[in-house]
Amino acid sequence: MKDSIRESLSYWGLYARMLRVKKEITPQSVTFGNDRQQYFLYYEPKNRTSDKVIVWVHGGGWNAGSPKLFDFVGQCVAKNGYRFLSLGYRLSPKNKYPCQIEDVCNGYTAAVSFLRQQGIDTSKVIVSGPSAGAHLSAILCYNKKVQEEYGVDLSPVIGFIGVGGPYCFSEKDSLSVRLLLNQLFTKGYDRTQGEPCALMTKSEIPMLLIQSRHDGLISYSCAERFYEKAKELGNPCELYSVVDQKNTHSWYTAGMFLETRETNRGLDQFFTWIENL
């Protein structure tokens, strides 16, 4: 309960920090569908230091958020020398699952195609997402049925990073998560068809899960179960426990990108893991 209250009280401080972020890079906006939410933003770093590309799927409880809202993430990643693409998708409750995973799959394909058209090397792609974005990007990376259904080629992907993701559904989910899932799925829908833990198949893509024991929204056991399922299948996986003081859900899934590697160990782990791939 204490962590849930801390999470609820964190929003104003987080938004205040977001508004103060200096926008050093103007991203390119590219549409991949007819809906206004079907677009991605591309950030070309001023001083590129890596040939790896990060494709990021935003969070927001499936019913909120956009690449533009999370511009500060793109600014942070590009400032650290990486090319960065931020994917949008249709939101609930107006749009029910599987609209979201359809958009993430099509958006990923469009993003890789866009990079290739620009003459950019796409042989080292890292897919990542926080919260709802971790849920969707995990399904993208670790379910062969979804990949086949939407014609997704994951051969360029060399790693996946999920931050604070709801990978497993259970009766122990917080009230907030249960309400969000009720908005995401139609009544009577088989939710195992939208649950990363149930959908995970054998994969060679290395996985890093970043999770806090003081999340206040998503139980730490959710990441533990997903980690254990990966190990059972033989999928390479690491589980990192957040040690920063700002360790509630919104602060470590999004707020860490408002800090630096020197001040935030979760952010440093994010980039260190990518560097070591």
Side-chain angles (χ1 to χ4, degrees), residues 52-55 108 112 115 122-127 156-159:
K52 296 169 183 172
V53 179
I54 299 175
V55 175
Y108 162 82
V112 172
L115 292 172
T122 61
S123 64
K124 298 178 182 179
V125 173
I126 293 89
V127 174
V157 178
I158 62 170

Side-chain angles (χ1 to χ4, degrees), residues 135-226:
H135 163 267
L136 294 169
S137 53
I139 295 174
L140 165 69
C141 290
Y142 297 103
N143 183 254
K144 291 181 180 178
K145 181 178 179 181
V146 164
Q147 296 160 14
E148 292 171 358
E149 181 176 355
Y150 297 109
V152 178
D153 175 16
L154 288 183
S155 61
V157 178
I158 62 170
F160 163 79
I161 303 178
V163 188
Y167 310 108
C168 309
F169 308 149
S170 76
E171 66 280 355
K172 295 181 180 180
D173 288 333
S174 66
L175 176 60
S176 296
V177 171
R178 293 200 301 271
L179 292 173
L180 289 170
L181 290 173
N182 288 341
Q183 290 184 343
L184 179 65
F185 297 110
T186 56
K187 187 176 181 180
Y189 185 85
D190 180 4
R191 295 187 179 186
T192 61
Q193 298 305 305
E195 182 188 43
C197 198
L199 293 174
M200 188 190 299
T201 53
K202 174 67 177 176
S203 174
E204 299 301 321
I205 298 174
M207 175 193 308
L208 171 65
L209 304 178
I210 298 176
Q211 203 85 8
S212 172
R213 295 184 183 275
H214 300 279
D215 184 295
L217 185 63
I218 306 293
S219 170
Y220 189 81
S221 63
C222 183
E224 288 182 314
R225 288 174 58 197
F226 198 54

